[in-house]
Amino acid sequence: MTAPGAPTPPDRSPDRPPSGLALAVRYGGLAGAVLLAVAGYLGGALPDSPLGATPASIWRAPGGPATLICWLVGTALLVGAWWSLRAGTPSTRWAYVTAGLWALPLLVAPPLGSRDVYSYACQGWTYAHGVDPYTVGVAAAGCPWMDTVAPIWRDTPAPYGPVFVLLAALAVALGGGLTGTVVLLRVIAVAGLLLAAFCLPGLARATGVPTGRAVWLALAGPLVGVHLVAGAHNDAVMLGLLLCGLLAVVRRPGRPSALLLAGVLLGLAVTVKASAVVVVPFAVLAGVHGRYTVRALLRDGGWLAGGLFAALLVASALSGLGFGWVGGLTHSGDSEQWTSPPTAVGLVVDYAGALVGRDPQAVPVARAVALLLLAGVLVVLWWRAWQTLRGLNDVRQRVTRIEAARPRVALRGAALALVATVVLSPVFHPWYATWPLALLALTATRTTWWFVVPASVAAFLALPDGTNLARFTKAPGALAMTALLVVVVVLRVRPSARARRQDRAETWM
């Protein structure tokens, strides 16, 4: 029997034979992955595939119906299989094997769901040929593979950190051409996923969730296979470094060497993709040893911050680009799609203004307001986590309670911080959902549907050649997203208002 507040023991049932449902899930998902790979060869994001395609033009192309049918059926099979075992798997090993089995067909497929890997290749080529990718777009730099890059990104500076630019340049140097570069970029992405897979069980044990379920939710989802494996997105590298840094903190809180290492790993994650920075304040909470006091926070947080800033400085210096990469981050919001809630609200205001002959230009305003709101939400989430942990200072069995609660509270705050970052960012792409998904898989103790459903829906937002379906549903999508946002806010506000009224009534009784 497990003591209250202690971590849940990990799954240890490798000898239990999988049920009929588990076997159907494994091979149904594998069939889906094979269909997605077939769709990739028929009409994926190949270097010579036509740009600016529409669902109608894809359907009319040779093999178009087969491409779309394989893609939709394959995605549905993967989503259904992942959903079926969201509550748990036969064992942790079974979850690893199944996720790996599903990844195999996608590992040998052409790029799927996005053309970003060609942008990575050209940004690496730009840097390798002595041009600053943070000041010059790939078109002006003269990248020989520029025709494979989506038009919207040809004149845009690189929005990624120096560590990833160095990795992309390494892939270019060793790849010897576009195909070799893309293969090596996929190897780098898979290495990031393997690092994440290594860290998941330790983090799951620390937070008290079943390791098999955490591995399943974090690694077996269709977004991981399609966008991180086949699409070779650098989010995989960011997640691997992020989880590794958090594991170092959780295993040895208060140890200067561990905190320095964690800071370096988190700093490297930030220098791949800057969105990882929102996790850092919660990693500091996870690194405090003993009682939660301001002095302890500054002492242990200082070691972690030192490692982080060292990583930022060294990476920026080694690249020779300084901190020019920070300015490149402002170009990540150049596209306007309703899949970002702030952008959807701005689009709806613009549509309403057009009905009365006005042009409010509300999208930039809505995005700016959302970023201010994000800053406030992040502060509130951190403060609530801090207060929760401080509240355990004076209870009986203080040490046991703090040791059990520290990783769970800190990582839960980090997960919600990433959720807020994704929801309130000016742009949303399907693979962005993998950021919070990994940490939610490690901290969800009861229900999982509230984040599994959005991730499942996001899997259908892109076609195999990278065509974004949000482009063709702009007005109805913006209206639907805004309506959903209103419903969610109302459902969240009403219980809070009711609770406040009850508190006031009890105060006066």
Side-chain angles (χ1 to χ4, degrees):
M1 188 171 178
T2 304
T8 303
D11 302 357
R12 296 192 184 277
S13 51
D15 298 326
R16 187 174 69 206
S19 65
L21 172 62
L23 291 174
V25 163
R26 170 176 281 180
Y27 294 108
L30 177 61
V34 170
L35 286 174
L36 291 178
V38 170
Y41 281 104
L42 291 174
L46 297 161
D48 57 352
S49 61
L51 302 177
T54 66
S57 68
I58 295 173
W59 181 266
R60 290 193 298 266
T67 300
L68 293 178
I69 290 170
C70 286
W71 181 257
L72 292 174
V73 173
T75 302
L77 284 172
L78 268 182
V79 167
W82 184 52
W83 171 269
S84 298
L85 295 183
R86 68 193 184 280
T89 60
S91 69
T92 302
R93 181 178 181 276
W94 190 94
Y96 274 126
V97 170
T98 303
L101 193 64
W102 293 359
L104 287 178
L106 301 171
L107 194 60
V108 296
L112 290 174
S114 164
R115 304 188 70 84
D116 281 8
V117 70
Y118 301 123
S119 297
Y120 301 163
C122 271
Q123 288 156 5
W125 184 94
T126 299
Y127 176 77
H129 285 75
V131 182
D132 186 349
Y134 299 127
T135 60
V136 177
V138 298
C143 177
W145 313 313
M146 188 264 294
D147 290 341
T148 65
V149 178
I152 191 174
W153 301 120
R154 292 179 182 178
D155 299 311
T156 303
Y160 311 114
V163 165
F164 185 72
V165 170
L166 289 170
L167 290 174
L170 179 64
V172 170
L174 299 178
L178 180 60
T179 301
T181 299
V182 169
V183 168
L184 289 177
L185 286 169
R186 182 174 288 177
V187 169
I188 290 170
V190 171
L193 280 178
L194 291 175
L195 185 58
F198 172 79
C199 297
L200 283 169
L203 289 169
R205 285 190 287 268
T207 56
V209 302
T211 56
R213 192 189 70 177
V215 167
W216 182 258
L217 292 174
L219 298 181
L223 293 174
V224 174
V226 170
H227 295 293
L228 301 192
V229 176
H233 277 99
N234 57 12
D235 307 72
V237 181
M238 180 195 79
L239 285 172
L241 292 168
L242 191 66
L243 294 182
C244 199
L246 290 173
L247 182 62
V249 169
V250 164
R251 280 192 168 173
R252 294 183 177 274
R255 302 284 185 89
S257 58
L259 293 173
L260 278 172
L261 174 62
V264 169
L265 291 167
L266 292 172
L268 292 175
V270 171
T271 55
V272 171
K273 213 156 189 176
S275 48
V277 75
V278 302
V279 172
V280 173
F282 300 92
V284 171
L285 291 180
V288 174
H289 182 65
R291 290 174 60 88
Y292 275 82
T293 63
V294 173
R295 181 178 179 181
L297 182 71
L298 294 176
R299 179 196 66 215
D300 296 330
W303 288 108
L304 190 144
L308 184 138
F309 284 117
L312 295 179
L313 291 171
V314 170
S316 298
L318 285 178
S319 68
L321 300 173
F323 285 92
W325 60 279
V326 177
L329 304 177
T330 60
H331 296 281
S332 60
D334 288 347
S335 64
E336 292 184 0
Q337 303 297 343
W338 60 261
T339 46
S340 157
T343 302
V345 171
L347 290 172
V348 168
V349 174
D350 283 345
Y351 295 147
L355 293 176
V356 294
R358 300 294 181 89
D359 184 13
Q361 294 289 316
V363 171
V365 176
R367 287 175 163 182
V369 170
L371 291 177
L372 290 174
L373 180 60
L374 173 60
V377 169
L378 294 176
V379 170
V380 169
L381 288 172
W382 186 88
W383 182 254
R384 288 180 62 181
W386 167 252
Q387 289 295 97
T388 299
L389 292 170
R390 285 204 63 170
L392 298 174
N393 282 343
D394 300 318
V395 299
R396 291 183 180 181
Q397 298 179 327
R398 181 181 66 244
V399 174
T400 302
R401 297 249 184 155
I402 288 182
E403 292 297 323
R406 177 191 296 112
R408 185 167 60 250
V409 172
L411 266 63
R412 177 72 170 178
L416 294 177
L418 285 171
V419 170
T421 301
V422 170
V423 170
L424 294 172
S425 289
V427 174
F428 172 83
H429 296 294
W431 49 93
Y432 289 7
T434 61
W435 308 347
L437 185 61
L439 288 179
L440 289 171
L442 291 165
T443 56
T445 55
R446 294 190 296 272
T447 59
T448 58
W449 67 266
W450 66 273
F451 61 88
V452 172
V453 168
S456 299
V457 172
F460 290 94
L461 290 177
L463 295 180
D465 67 338
T467 298
N468 186 349
L469 293 178
R471 287 169 43 209
F472 309 100
T473 54
K474 210 163 189 177
L479 290 169
M481 177 62 80
T482 302
L484 177 62
L485 192 62
V486 170
V487 169
V488 170
V489 170
V490 169
L491 291 177
R492 293 292 297 172
V493 168
R494 286 179 62 185
S496 299
R498 189 181 304 115
R500 285 195 297 270
R501 288 195 298 268
Q502 290 176 349
D503 290 343
R504 284 197 295 268
E506 290 173 0
T507 301
W508 288 99
M509 287 178 66

